[in-house]
Every structure is written in C-alpha cells, then in structure tokens.
Amino acid sequence: MSDIIQLLPDHVANQIAAGEVVQRPASVIKELLENAIDAYAQNIQVVVKDAGKTLIQIVDDGAGMSLTDARMCFERHATSKIKSAEDLFSLNTKGFRGEALASIAAIAHVELKTKPKNEEVGTCIKIEGSKVTSQEPCVTPKGTSLCVKNLFYNIPARRNFLKSDAVELRHIIDEFQRVAMAHPSIAFSLFHNGGELFQLPSTNHRQRITNIFGAKTNEKLVPVNEDTEIVKISGFVGKPEFAKRSRGEQFFFVNNRFIKSPYLNHAVSAAFEGLLKEKTYPSYFLYLDVNPKSIDINIHPTKTEIKFDDEHALYAMLRSAIKHSLGQFSVAPVLDFDRDANLDTPYEYKNRQAQVPKIEVDRSFNPFENELNTSSIRSGKSHNFRKENTQSWENLYAGLNTTPETNQHQFKQVEFESEEVTGKLFDDNHSGSEAGTFQLQKKYIVSTLKSGILVIDQNRAHTRILYEELLKNITIAAAVSQQLLFPLQLQFNTHEIEMLKEIKESLEQTGFIFSNIEDETVEITGIPTLISESEVGILLEQLLSDFENEVPDNGFSQTDLLAKSLAKGMAVKSGTLLNSTEQQHIVNRLFACKEPDVSPFNKSVFVTLTVDELDKKFT
C-alpha cells in the first residue's frame, strides 16, 4: 500500500489556519487594534471602505518596527510577546500566538509601512497571499500603518459567506467599541467610506462610555468599586429603571481584555434580582483586574473566553459589590422605613475628614436703614395693609334662615352619585349570543362552528393580521399616519442610530414620520394609527434589538424581520380584555389572511374541536 499522508504546502496551511483567526472584516480590525495597543500607541485611526471588504487601514503612532521585525512579523508563530510556555500565565499584552498577521497576509493584499522613533526612513512591505511582492525603504511618520485590501480575494467561497455591508459594519463597530472601552487613555477614531463614525479623545472610563453610547448614558450609570486580594472590580452598572430589552450594553473586561462569560453575567443578574421588569436586562461596564497567573486565556483563537482559578469566589464578590453600590446610591430599596434618606452621608464623603465650618459676618449690615416713617405709623396710615371691601359681607350668610321644608325641596333637585358601583367599565359578554364568540381566560377567543368549536389564540391571531398588513404597507401601499401634537424625542446611541437610518424608509411606509435624526436624538412627528405614543419607545427598542440579533443580510429578510418585529410589538397581548365586537373583528380579519393557520413565527394560531371529539370525551 502506497503512502497517502503528506504535508500540506505552506500557503494552503496558512489559508486553513486563517479561517480560525479571520472570520470577517471585524476580526481583522480587532487583531490590528490589539497590535497597535501592544506597540504603546496613543492615537489610533481606523479607516474602512465597503464594511472592510475593500479596505481596512489601521494607523498608529506606536513604537514601530525595524526592517527585520517588519519582515518577520508576517511569519507564522513569530511574536515578540512571549518566549516560553510559562509566559502564557503572566501575559500583559493582547496578542501572544503570532498568528494574526500571517493569517491576514494569507487571504488579502497587505501593505505595511512602519518606522521606529530613532530611524530616519521607514520600511514598506507589500504581500499578496503570503508572497512578498516588494520590500523597500519609504518615508513615513513614526509608528505603523497597515492596509488590508480585497479580503478573501483568493478564497471566493469565504467571501460569498460575508453578509451585507450594513451587517459587517455593525460587527466592526462592536469590535471597535470593545477595544476603545478597554483603553480610555488612548484616542481612537473610526471612518467608513469617508464619513466619521467615532472620534474618541483620551479620557477616563466614564467619559469614554458616554462618548460611545451618548450623553444621556451618564445619568444612568452607578459606579462599582471593590478591591480584594483575589480581584479588583471597577466600572459601572445601569440603574434598573433604564434596563433594556436586549443585552447590547453588557461588557466584561478582564485585565483590559473584553470577554464573554455567562457565569459572571448570572452574578450581575442575581444582584439586580427584584429590581428589573420582566424580560429586561441590566446594562453594565465592569472591569476586573486579576493576577495573570490565576487565569487561562489560551482557550479560543478569539481570546474572548477565559478560565478562572476560583470562579465561585469571583461570582460572590461581583454580586455583593454590585448590591453594595446599588444600596450606597439609594438605587435598591431599603427595609428601614424610619430612616431619613436626607441624613445619609453621601458616598463620596465617606472617607473625608470633618472640617470646621467657616462663618462670614457682614459687619456693615444695618437693619434700621429702611425704617418706616414714624409719623405715618403714629397717625395710623400704614402703607403695608390694604382695606378689603366689606360691603357684600351679608351674602356670606344668605340662605341660613330658610325653613327645613325649603331645604328639603332644594335637595330633591340634586342627584348624588351612588357610592356603590353597579356597572362595569368594560362589557364582557361571555355569553356571546349575538356575536357567536366569547373570551376565555383573557387569552383565547372561542367561536362555534357547524362541526364543533374553534379556539383562537388572540395574540398570535392579531400578530398574523398585523404582519400581513405591515408587509403590504411596506411593499405596496404606505399606511396612514397619525400626526403628533408635540414631536416625540427619543435617545439612541450611535450604533442604534445607524440601524434606524438603514430601516428609516421602511418604517415610514408603516406610518412613522421622522422629522430629524441626529447623532443621539430621533424626533418623531407621526406614528402608525395602531399604536399609542407611550408605546413608541418600547416598540423601537424591541425592533432594534431584533435587528441586532437577527442581522438580516438582504432586502427581503430585512422587510420580513421589520414586519415581524412591529407586529409582535403592536399585537394585543394575552390578558387583555376584549369585547364581543373586538373578538369578532379579530376572527373575521384572521380568516381573511393568506395564511391564517400559523403566526409569523410558525406557531399554531387556532385549534378546532369537533363534535365527534367531544363525544369521545364523554364515553
């Protein structure tokens, strides 16, 4: 039998390995940003074209590289971060595998310009698919500029798997925000197709969060600080009243590295237990500093998963630290009902020393400077009092001398409302003899058929009705809009504003009218007739959450997702009381739909129970 095992060529092995490190343009930006941070850069600029498919450029003012290092950095497993396996447990840098640049160079056109501080000229290297096409000196400022062009040009199958520009840009913004929040002392900027998306100056953690998520975020944050032998916890959590319906603003950073940890997320949720509304999630931006020897980062190529030595202790400390902060800032309720909150010592004054108050006396003050004229006082002519007109004082006692019979006659003309309420605010016709329907448990609509009984889920039925109506409005004829007397202003962050701009035209077809969309504020002057003004903010927040999670990649799926999300938010909820007219209206409109059997989410809308099935129940 002939030998069949052979070594793969280097360029094939590089392309296979690149699939683990470089999944999409956002992966390239994450790796290059981390390299710039490891090079001690203080200003980092990101330029993107066509959501990274055409161009990704990272420019920094870091240490730069020598000629030899510039050539070596594209070799696989070549790194300056570690020298031995023991260094993996004392990492203070972002990268350590030496795979990122080699993987990127294997699947794109790469141009590197770099110059150390003490050199007069820099080095320019051009690589196409792991092959160096040119290497020459060049004039360039201190630091490094790395351009990645035509990503996946030599792997067309991988390029076809990329989503639309809007979706890929969303992932790029996510990675950019994570790195920027972990390093507030570094100035970052992001440009897409010539337009500026972010300009973040060097600042502190709180201001960096505010610069990314909007100025209104500042009032929502509650600081968290706890220092123990195991971990140092700092950062912020959002107030419970500002909890969101999505998990978009939840960030953990361990040693300035963004991580995902369902276990630690559960600790935060446990700290907010009893403070959040149903199906809402708290916002948090938490920074954990631990001993590098107590964690293992070498779990996944993306480095977003970390193993801790003592997860249970970390869970308890994180939970108690958040509870402590919520209590200190009077966010969580207390059980001492006799306590006067005004007498509490402010949190920032806890460790301050008492100071002797300074008393200032105005020695030139004379209380007798504006003394009244004594002659006017003696004559009784005071100008500070006004005599009231008392000519009609007799009217105050009118009617008191009337006889009891007269009073009784007058009282008979007055009808008083009975204290006992005999009617109902809503007429719940459970008999339903006229309409042929009645409501069961405020959840189901029961109607009779010739062959038996029809039971309809009112929420799913109304969702199906609205879904088909919204699809018609978006694609064929625009819906009617109700104008608002006063414009409605809602606050969103930059990421959400970009998504709103993307679906603005479709939303206007459903009845929304946007008068202005700025950096952080959306002004609405018209809304669909089926929703109330108070529900608009919740509806749009849920819509953006659905778009962020579903990430539609083409026009049809975007329209379908928009109709599904709006229909789900606008549909009548289970537990809502409906009168007979409303019940019959839902039944009639449901069976006028093209697909009345299932909801937009492929769940049964109604069930039928025939007479034969009923007869079997009684046998």
Side-chain angles (χ1 to χ4, degrees):
M1 182 177 176
S2 60
D3 298 333
I4 59 175
I5 297 178
Q6 59 183 349
L7 286 173
L8 289 173
D10 288 341
H11 69 279
V12 177
N14 288 342
Q15 290 180 7
I16 295 172
E20 296 181 355
V21 180
V22 183
Q23 301 169 354
R24 54 183 359 127
S27 305
V28 176
I29 288 181
K30 173 182 177 293
E31 297 292 343
L32 297 183
L33 283 176
E34 290 181 348
N35 283 345
I37 292 169
D38 288 340
Y40 310 106
Q42 293 301 311
N43 293 277
I44 302 176
Q45 187 181 69
V46 183
V47 180
V48 178
K49 287 186 179 179
D50 300 329
K53 299 174 184 176
T54 304
L55 171 68
I56 297 173
Q57 183 178 11
I58 310 290
V59 182
D60 68 70
D61 60 352
M65 290 182 282
S66 64
L67 174 61
T68 305
D69 287 345
R71 183 63 186 84
M72 280 291 295
C73 71
F74 291 103
E75 298 295 330
R76 186 161 298 279
H77 307 304
T79 179
S80 62
K81 314 298 171 58
I82 61 173
K83 294 181 180 179
S84 63
E86 289 75 16
D87 294 340
L88 288 173
F89 296 96
S90 59
L91 286 172
N92 293 311
T93 57
K94 300 294 181 184
F96 52 87
R97 290 196 180 99
E99 292 181 337
L101 290 177
S103 298
I104 294 169
I107 53 173
H109 296 166
V110 178
E111 180 181 347
L112 171 69
K113 292 182 179 180
T114 183
K115 183 176 84 72
K117 181 179 179 179
N118 299 325
E119 298 289 336
E120 294 183 358
V121 294
T123 304
C124 178
I125 298 178
K126 295 181 180 179
I127 299 177
E128 296 180 3
S130 297
K131 296 180 180 179
V132 178
T133 59
S134 69
Q135 177 176 331
E136 56 188 8
C138 68
V139 178
T140 183
K142 169 185 170 289
T144 302
S145 171
L146 201 147
C147 292
V148 180
K149 303 175 183 177
N150 305 321
L151 194 65
F152 297 123
Y153 81 99
N154 53 355
I155 313 178
R158 284 296 298 272
R159 190 174 180 88
N160 292 336
F161 277 107
L162 294 178
K163 304 294 184 182
S164 65
D165 286 358
V167 176
E168 294 299 338
L169 178 61
R170 224 169 290 155
H171 287 285
I172 288 173
I173 291 175
D174 285 343
E175 293 292 351
F176 177 83
Q177 289 177 348
R178 292 167 181 173
V179 176
M181 278 191 290
H183 301 274
S185 61
I186 301 175
F188 290 89
S189 59
L190 174 62
F191 298 87
H192 180 247
N193 290 342
E196 180 184 297
L197 296 183
F198 290 95
Q199 188 67 251
L200 307 176
S202 176
T203 181
N204 54 33
H205 281 113
R206 185 171 194 135
Q207 192 61 43
R208 175 57 56 88
I209 294 169
T210 302
N211 290 339
I212 291 176
F213 293 100
K216 292 289 183 181
T217 310
N218 189 40
E219 64 187 43
K220 306 175 185 178
L221 301 179
V222 177
V224 178
N225 287 287
E226 193 68 43
D227 195 353
T228 67
E229 295 180 356
I230 298 177
V231 60
K232 180 182 179 182
I233 302 172
S234 61
F236 306 90
V237 295
K239 295 179 181 178
E241 59 265 30
F242 297 107
K244 290 183 169 285
R245 293 180 175 269
S246 65
R247 302 178 185 270
E249 294 183 2
Q250 296 185 340
F251 298 90
F252 277 118
F253 300 93
V254 175
N255 294 353
N256 292 330
R257 185 191 302 275
F258 172 79
I259 68 159
K260 297 177 181 178
S261 175
Y263 187 70
L264 296 182
N265 178 73
H266 189 273
V268 179
S269 301
F272 278 90
E273 187 176 2
L275 300 175
L276 300 176
K277 297 179 182 178
E278 187 179 1
K279 294 182 180 179
T280 59
Y281 305 96
S283 301
Y284 56 80
F285 312 88
L286 296 172
Y287 301 83
L288 282 65
D289 291 332
V290 299
N291 188 342
K293 295 181 180 179
S294 66
I295 58 175
D296 185 5
I297 305 171
N298 195 22
I299 303 296
H300 193 272
T302 59
K303 308 184 189 79
T304 56
E305 298 179 17
I306 289 182
K307 289 292 183 183
F308 296 93
D309 273 356
D310 194 350
E311 283 188 332
H312 297 289
L314 202 60
Y315 180 101
M317 291 175 184
L318 184 61
R319 179 174 173 270
S320 61
I322 295 173
K323 272 186 167 293
H324 175 70
S325 292
L326 293 176
Q328 285 283 349
F329 289 90
S330 300
V331 176
V334 295
L335 296 178
D336 187 2
F337 299 105
D338 296 328
R339 181 182 64 87
D340 187 356
N342 295 323
L343 301 179
D344 289 349
T345 303
Y347 191 71
E348 61 270 17
Y349 286 85
K350 185 180 68 170
N351 297 322
R352 287 193 180 183
Q353 298 294 329
Q355 297 179 353
V356 178
K358 296 180 180 179
I359 302 175
E360 296 183 1
V361 178
D362 186 3
R363 300 187 181 277
S364 63
F365 175 70
N366 185 1
F368 302 102
E369 283 183 352
N370 298 325
E371 190 177 24
L372 292 174
N373 191 350
T374 54
S375 60
S376 63
I377 295 176
R378 289 171 184 172
S379 61
K381 297 178 180 179
S382 176
H383 299 285
N384 294 331
F385 300 96
R386 181 170 58 88
K387 189 175 181 181
E388 299 288 347
N389 185 10
T390 57
Q391 292 180 358
S392 59
W393 62 270
E394 297 89 350
N395 295 333
L396 298 174
Y397 301 96
L400 295 180
N401 296 327
T402 55
T403 60
E405 290 80 5
T406 308
N407 288 336
Q408 290 178 2
H409 176 70
Q410 291 177 351
F411 290 146
K412 288 180 181 179
Q413 304 298 326
V414 182
E415 294 182 0
F416 293 94
E417 184 180 358
S418 172
E419 293 183 0
E420 181 181 359
V421 180
T422 57
K424 293 185 178 179
L425 187 60
F426 300 99
D427 295 329
D428 47 347
N429 296 329
H430 292 290
S431 59
S433 57
E434 297 179 0
T437 62
F438 70 91
Q439 194 177 20
L440 179 65
Q441 297 294 323
K442 298 181 182 180
K443 184 177 182 181
Y444 301 104
I445 298 173
V446 182
S447 180
T448 56
L449 298 171
K450 291 182 179 179
S451 59
I453 297 175
L454 178 70
V455 183
I456 302 172
D457 187 307
Q458 65 185 35
N459 175 258
R460 295 180 184 178
H462 201 208
T463 304
R464 162 54 66 178
I465 295 166
L466 293 174
Y467 170 70
E468 294 196 3
E469 184 177 330
L470 288 166
L471 272 182
K472 180 180 178 182
N473 293 335
I474 296 172
T475 56
I476 301 175
V480 179
S481 176
Q482 58 176 339
Q483 299 295 313
L484 298 176
L485 183 61
F486 300 102
L488 182 65
Q489 291 190 344
L490 302 175
Q491 300 292 329
F492 295 100
N493 60 45
T494 307
H495 186 26
E496 293 169 336
I497 290 290
E498 290 298 320
M499 284 193 287
L500 273 177
K501 289 180 179 178
E502 181 186 342
I503 60 176
K504 175 177 177 282
E505 185 176 349
S506 298
L507 283 173
E508 288 175 341
Q509 292 291 104
T510 65
F512 285 96
I513 298 177
F514 298 92
S515 60
N516 190 20
I517 299 181
E518 295 180 348
D519 295 338
E520 298 177 2
T521 306
V522 175
E523 189 174 85
I524 300 174
T525 56
I527 59 176
T529 56
L530 296 173
I531 63 174
S532 63
E533 185 177 346
S534 60
E535 297 174 341
V536 174
I538 300 173
L539 189 67
L540 289 180
E541 186 179 328
Q542 182 64 51
L543 175 65
L544 293 175
S545 172
D546 291 342
F547 262 78
E548 193 167 7
N549 295 329
E550 297 268 345
V551 287
D553 55 351
N554 57 57
F556 173 76
S557 63
Q558 184 186 84
T559 302
D560 183 67
L561 178 59
L562 176 63
K564 282 182 180 179
S565 181
L566 287 176
K568 179 177 65 175
M570 295 162 62
V572 61
K573 302 297 186 291
S574 298
T576 304
L577 185 65
L578 303 176
N579 58 39
S580 58
T581 305
E582 293 168 336
Q583 296 168 25
Q584 193 64 40
H585 183 65
I586 288 180
V587 174
N588 294 338
R589 291 183 64 191
L590 173 65
F591 289 101
C593 293
K594 294 181 179 179
E595 296 184 21
D597 297 346
V598 294
S599 71
F601 304 95
N602 293 322
K603 294 183 179 179
S604 299
V605 173
F606 62 84
V607 294
T608 57
L609 194 62
T610 63
V611 176
D612 293 338
E613 291 173 339
L614 284 172
D615 290 339
K616 291 179 182 179
K617 298 290 183 182
F618 291 96
T619 55

